[in-house]
Amino acid sequence: MKKYIFTLLIIAFISSSCNKANISSEDKRLDQRVDSVMKLMTLDEKIGQMVLYTSDWDVTGPTLKSGYLDDIRKGNCGNIFNAHTAAYTRKLQKIAVEESRLGIPLLFGYDVIHGHKTIFPISLGESASWDLAAIEKSARVSAIEAAASGINWTFAPMCDVSVEPRWGRVSEGAGEDPYLGSRIAEARVKGFQGENNDLSDPLTILACVKHFAAYGAPLAGRDYNTVDMSERVFLDTYLPPYKAAIDAGAMSVMSSFNELDGIPATGSKYLLTDILRKKLGFKGFVVTDYTSINEMVNHGIVANESEAGALALNAGVDMDMQGEVYFKYLKKSIEDGLVDEKLVDDAVRRILRVKFMLGLFDDPYKYCNEEREKQLVYAPEHLEAELDVAKKSMVLLKNDNHSLPLKKGEKIAVIGELAASTRDLLGSWKAAGDWDFMKSTLDEIKLYNGEKNVIYAEGCKKMGEDRSGFAAAIAAARRADKIVMVIGEDWEWSGEAASRTSINVPGVQTELLEKLKALNKPVVVVLMNGRPLDLSKESTLADAILEAWYPGTMGGKAITQVLFGDYNPSGKLTMTFPRTLGQVPIFYYEKNTGRPIYLENPKYKSRYIDCPNDPLYPFGFGLSYTTFAYSDIKLSSNELTSDGEIEASVNVTNTGGVNGEEVVQCYVRDLVGSVTRPVKELKGFEKISLKAGQSKVITFKISPEMLAFYRADMTYGSEPGDFKLFIGGNSRDVKETEFKLK
Ligand code: NOJ
């Protein structure tokens, strides 16, 4: 304690009001306070601040290797991840604060990706809500629960744009679109770091923008694989969501595993200094991904770990996650003149700065309040928020003959292993979420519809070839009015290290679906999965398909409420669902090519001879239990001046029999550019609610800045000329008009 008080005295002029992010007037004082600590530090202690180790886990709870505890004590480890609960983090913090020489508090990081205890839908699912307020709320609740459990740093939001459904990590992102991805990245940062970006608030946590950069484009969809793209594609398409998150105030960034243009991201000065710091103006600190410094030896960019450490530091990496490279080699590299000690000072300054912003020097135990933890984790309003987001995330892909909603009291056969699963509802990265107390979709359907009206048969497993349960499932289905089959992927088939070479529904689930279809009863498919799947067969077999993703702690209830029409589905896909894997990569913002397919003479066109070009379900697509009609697309003017703004409007009418929500989407096409431009680009959207029969005029503002891109000479800006503007309920079915940028 003595040492901690000593440190506090050194920084006695701290005022707690100085902890807000982005307040430039306070920057100087913050720097002075950081300097006052820096002056006391040895080189070893500085390097210790640049080290992040994971805790280990056993069945009864988290424990650290004794060596790591000693590292904290000696000042050789300033940051820990994968340790949580107020009590446990307090124990570790106490070692840092009371037993290390300077008493510098620890950062506690954790993958709070879509919830801490209350688990929200996987991020891809959540993005399908297109509901920024709901997404922000989900991150807010996650931060509140994590902060109450000792965490002050989350490794989120994941801002990787991806058009690669084979890649399991698409489940962690916001889909294929840079504009929507940017808005969602901002919402998530706001949720984690709080409305006012006040990191000193004990109920906010530090966000970490990852994986910098372009990790979402691995060749062949294989995780950790090589990424290669033009600088223009990188800047135009992949960079915007990271930028948006940084502009929103995120104060840490994680470097990615992949290489880009032949240089591993963790050793890329171009990415971590030129783009991140100079171009984007990032002021926080950069942490590596797990051992990604060490992995640069495998990449073949350095001969050994010592060189890897030097490359990383010179590129702009401040903190080494788990690799022990900085710990082992940095001091020697300085002595050998391979790196400048000033870079160590800069890195430590950035890390300490964030620790000050979090208020850890004022009260290192501020996240370690067990009473608060008890009150806040699984708070009823958190579970309510999760139920709300889960319902909003679901996408109705098909609904022939009004098969949905189900009617209360109908006899329903529920089939499929996933229907009875609770663990799968949480998806990957379930943080500290528990599934033992949760209710499965089957439990919830029984609760809602009455046990006697529900007949369950597993039928088959999510994976494997076992058909022995088919007969029982068919028998159950024969006794029912309608069949609900829950199919999809095991939760472990999405997320990190979960790439697939097929995007089919695994095992024999579709085979059983075919048999159920033969009974000539309405068949409803509920999908649980973390990526776009090839649903070409299922979409012909099922009368209705509800994409439920992995919907989280309240997922069973959310699915039930949507199935029975207590909530009218409003989600829209944020990744294109192809007809077949052979179309991948497929995304709505493609280029026209010199031989677009819509021209005469289909032979020598950019097309497949065995499959249409268009996807099964396009970006932005999703049905409702009602229908919406679009009419009267109008512009306030057909000419947009270089400093002006025009308004585009459309009339949307709920033409069905029930109230519903619709995501109205606005796209633009730049017809002629100094470089070729996409056939459509999302420029705005609004989620609206319309009563049955009600109409609303929806307006989008269009400015020249919204039309900017990296031009032929790599300058950024818009170009005068003709544009098309489209408004509709998805990227395919739109009304269009034209304007000119002067
Ligand atoms: C590796 C993953 O790529 C990254 O997303 C995660 O945050 C870290 N491990 C820490 O768990």
Side-chain angles (χ1 to χ4, degrees):
M1 194 61 183
K2 223 168 51 209
K3 284 163 201 151
Y4 180 58
I5 291 169
F6 174 65
T7 306
L8 279 182
L9 284 176
I10 300 289
I11 51 171
F13 48 97
I14 296 168
S15 101
S16 53
S17 66
C18 299
N19 292 316
K20 303 200 183 210
N22 294 334
I23 300 178
S24 53
S25 60
E26 301 292 349
D27 277 1
K28 236 181 163 174
R29 296 193 59 202
L30 201 51
D31 287 341
Q32 285 168 352
R33 282 180 278 148
V34 169
D35 283 343
S36 67
V37 179
M38 293 279 296
K39 275 187 204 134
L40 305 172
M41 296 174 82
T42 62
L43 179 57
D44 286 324
E45 282 164 334
K46 287 177 185 169
I47 293 172
Q49 287 303 307
M50 299 166 72
V51 165
L52 168 67
Y53 289 143
T54 179
S55 80
D56 298 327
W57 293 79
D58 64 20
V59 280
T60 52
T63 56
L64 281 183
K65 282 182 192 147
S66 54
Y68 289 12
L69 289 182
D70 230 36
D71 283 327
I72 299 173
R73 202 168 278 126
K74 287 185 183 144
N76 289 337
C77 168
N79 314 282
I80 290 291
F81 69 118
N82 290 339
H84 62 90
T85 74
Y88 187 56
T89 52
R90 173 180 287 275
K91 188 175 146 189
L92 299 182
Q93 194 68 293
K94 217 162 177 251
I95 297 174
V97 167
E98 296 188 11
E99 298 182 43
S100 75
R101 193 179 74 92
L102 289 175
I104 299 174
L106 295 165
L107 277 183
F108 288 100
Y110 198 34
D111 285 286
V112 180
I113 309 295
H114 55 112
H116 177 66
K117 285 297 247 189
T118 300
I119 302 302
F120 287 82
I122 55 163
S123 306
L124 181 65
E126 210 173 75
S127 71
S129 72
W130 296 59
D131 187 327
L132 298 177
I135 292 170
E136 183 181 331
K137 173 90 185 183
S138 143
R140 189 84 280 282
V141 167
S142 307
I144 289 171
E145 292 196 354
S149 300
I151 307 299
N152 43 41
W153 180 24
T154 176
F155 303 136
M158 194 266 227
C159 299
D160 304 320
V161 167
S162 188
V163 295
E164 191 32 276
R166 288 173 291 187
W167 190 52
R169 304 203 77 170
V170 293
S171 60
E172 300 172 44
E176 73 189 37
D177 188 63
Y179 176 79
L180 178 62
S182 299
R183 301 294 77 76
I184 289 177
E186 285 160 5
R188 289 195 169 130
V189 170
K190 237 173 157 192
F192 290 132
Q193 296 198 167
E195 182 77 27
N196 304 319
N197 243 334
D198 182 359
L199 290 179
S200 73
D201 179 339
L203 295 178
T204 63
I205 56 178
L206 167 68
C208 182
V209 180
K210 71 184 190 186
H211 306 82
F212 200 79
Y215 180 46
L219 284 180
R222 205 178 71 215
D223 206 3
Y224 318 121
N225 203 4
T226 305
V227 174
D228 198 8
M229 62 177 66
S230 70
E231 187 173 25
R232 187 183 313 284
V233 167
F234 172 62
L235 295 177
D236 264 335
T237 308
Y238 286 78
L239 190 63
Y242 306 116
K243 176 181 185 312
I246 289 161
D247 289 348
M251 287 300 283
S252 73
V253 164
M254 187 185 291
S255 71
S256 54
F257 288 124
N258 58 284
E259 68 165 66
L260 181 65
D261 196 15
I263 313 286
T266 298
S268 170
K269 202 171 198 155
Y270 165 74
L271 284 178
L272 301 180
T273 299
D274 298 347
I275 297 285
L276 186 62
R277 297 216 178 271
K278 295 191 184 150
K279 189 178 174 70
L280 305 187
F282 176 61
K283 295 274 187 300
F285 69 85
V286 174
V287 63
T288 68
D289 204 341
Y290 208 105
T291 62
S292 66
I293 299 182
N294 318 55
E295 291 168 25
M296 290 201 285
V297 177
N298 287 342
H299 276 286
I301 196 87
V302 283
N304 53 50
E305 290 189 348
S306 155
E307 284 181 18
L311 182 65
L313 188 69
N314 285 326
V317 167
D318 302 313
M319 193 186 285
D320 174 5
M321 184 195 286
Q322 194 58 19
E324 293 187 74
V325 173
Y326 280 1
F327 172 69
K328 285 185 190 154
Y329 304 107
L330 219 47
K331 200 170 174 187
K332 176 94 176 29
S333 295
I334 294 169
E335 284 161 12
D336 294 349
L338 291 174
V339 295
D340 188 342
E341 191 170 347
K342 182 184 172 300
L343 294 182
V344 169
D345 284 347
D346 291 347
V348 176
R349 239 183 226 109
R350 292 194 275 256
I351 293 162
L352 291 182
R353 205 164 191 276
V354 170
K355 290 189 177 185
F356 271 107
M357 291 169 91
L358 286 162
L360 285 170
F361 283 93
D362 298 323
D363 177 5
Y365 303 109
K366 58 191 287 193
Y367 302 94
C368 310
N369 180 332
E370 285 174 81
E371 262 319 297
R372 193 173 63 193
E373 183 178 27
K374 262 188 231 139
Q375 277 167 23
L376 292 179
V377 301
Y378 291 135
E381 63 271 25
H382 296 175
L383 294 170
E384 270 310 305
E386 141 53 9
L387 178 63
D388 179 59
V389 186
K391 288 186 286 193
K392 288 175 169 160
S393 300
M394 292 182 193
V395 185
L396 184 64
L397 294 175
K398 180 177 179 183
N399 193 18
D400 282 359
N401 310 317
H402 300 289
S403 313
L404 285 175
L406 304 173
K407 288 180 198 64
K408 206 168 184 165
E410 285 182 313
K411 225 175 201 68
I412 310 289
V414 178
I415 313 289
E417 184 188 12
L418 282 168
S421 166
T422 48
R423 173 63 190 88
D424 288 282
L425 289 168
L426 300 181
S428 73
W429 294 123
K430 54 135 201 68
D434 315 282
W435 60 93
D436 291 345
F437 77 96
M438 281 168 53
K439 290 198 172 59
S440 67
T441 308
L442 174 64
D443 293 337
E444 292 287 359
I445 293 179
K446 280 183 179 166
L447 267 177
Y448 190 98
N449 200 35
E451 188 126 15
K452 65 177 187 332
N453 296 321
V454 179
I455 315 157
Y456 176 67
E458 183 183 81
C460 62
K461 300 279 183 204
K462 350 170 223 198
M463 291 184 285
E465 302 295 308
D466 186 2
R467 296 169 176 81
S468 61
F470 278 22
I474 293 165
R478 278 193 209 286
R479 291 163 49 212
D481 302 318
K482 279 185 182 165
I483 303 159
V484 173
M485 186 169 182
V486 185
I487 62 175
E489 301 174 299
D490 183 276
W491 68 269
E492 271 191 299
W493 278 36
S494 287
E496 189 176 351
S499 294
R500 295 186 61 190
T501 58
S502 152
I503 53 168
N504 292 342
V505 173
V508 292
Q509 297 176 100
T510 305
E511 202 178 310
L512 177 56
L513 176 65
E514 207 164 352
K515 303 226 176 302
L516 297 174
K517 172 68 182 167
L519 300 177
N520 276 324
K521 297 186 180 197
V523 183
V524 173
V525 159
V526 175
L527 282 170
M528 283 171 60
N529 51 296
R531 55 158 61 74
L533 292 174
D534 170 351
L535 299 174
S536 45
K537 274 195 194 149
E538 295 73 11
S539 62
T540 59
L541 297 171
D543 297 281
I545 302 180
L546 180 69
E547 173 57 85
W549 315 107
Y550 300 110
T553 305
M554 302 297 284
K557 191 169 195 166
I559 291 173
T560 305
Q561 292 191 356
V562 174
L563 287 178
F564 284 90
D566 280 3
Y567 180 80
N568 186 355
S570 64
K572 303 267 189 175
L573 296 178
T574 57
M575 271 189 92
T576 304
F577 273 43
R579 293 174 189 276
T580 162
L581 185 60
Q583 293 180 311
V584 166
I586 180 169
F587 46 94
Y588 83 91
Y589 49 87
E590 64 179 5
K591 301 287 186 73
N592 204 37
T593 81
R595 294 189 170 195
I597 194 172
Y598 58 80
L599 299 179
E600 296 298 299
N601 182 9
K603 173 68 181 162
Y604 295 103
K605 294 293 181 277
S606 178
R607 63 186 284 265
Y608 302 102
I609 52 171
D610 58 354
C611 176
N613 277 14
D614 67 332
L616 188 62
Y617 300 117
F619 175 85
F621 178 81
L623 302 171
S624 159
Y625 294 150
T626 187
T627 44
F628 298 98
Y630 286 73
S631 61
D632 299 331
I633 184 164
K634 275 190 200 126
L635 292 172
S636 57
S637 165
N638 289 93
E639 285 188 358
L640 173 61
T641 54
S642 61
D643 56 354
E645 190 175 83
I646 55 173
E647 285 187 349
S649 64
V650 75
N651 186 53
V652 188
T653 306
N654 179 343
T655 48
V658 289
N659 304 342
E661 290 164 280
E662 169 72 333
V663 181
V664 184
Q665 302 157 41
C666 176
Y667 299 86
V668 157
R669 175 171 176 189
D670 187 346
L671 291 177
V672 179
S674 60
V675 292
T676 59
R677 307 290 299 127
V679 294
K680 272 184 193 129
E681 288 178 287
L682 184 71
K683 293 295 173 188
F685 62 89
E686 194 176 332
K687 190 161 187 173
I688 57 167
S689 181
L690 288 180
K691 296 208 161 61
Q694 193 189 355
S695 290
K696 235 184 214 169
V697 173
I698 304 302
T699 303
F700 297 97
K701 290 189 190 320
I702 307 291
S703 65
E705 296 75 55
M706 293 164 70
L707 309 173
F709 61 99
Y710 284 88
R711 298 173 286 209
D713 62 0
M714 291 309 276
T715 57
Y716 186 73
S718 53
E719 288 177 344
D722 293 328
F723 288 78
K724 281 193 176 183
L725 184 139
F726 316 87
I727 305 181
N730 64 67
S731 60
R732 181 189 59 201
D733 306 309
V734 289
K735 301 281 174 205
E736 71 176 72
T737 178
E738 284 175 15
F739 69 91
K740 197 181 265 306
L741 174 62
K742 299 290 266 185

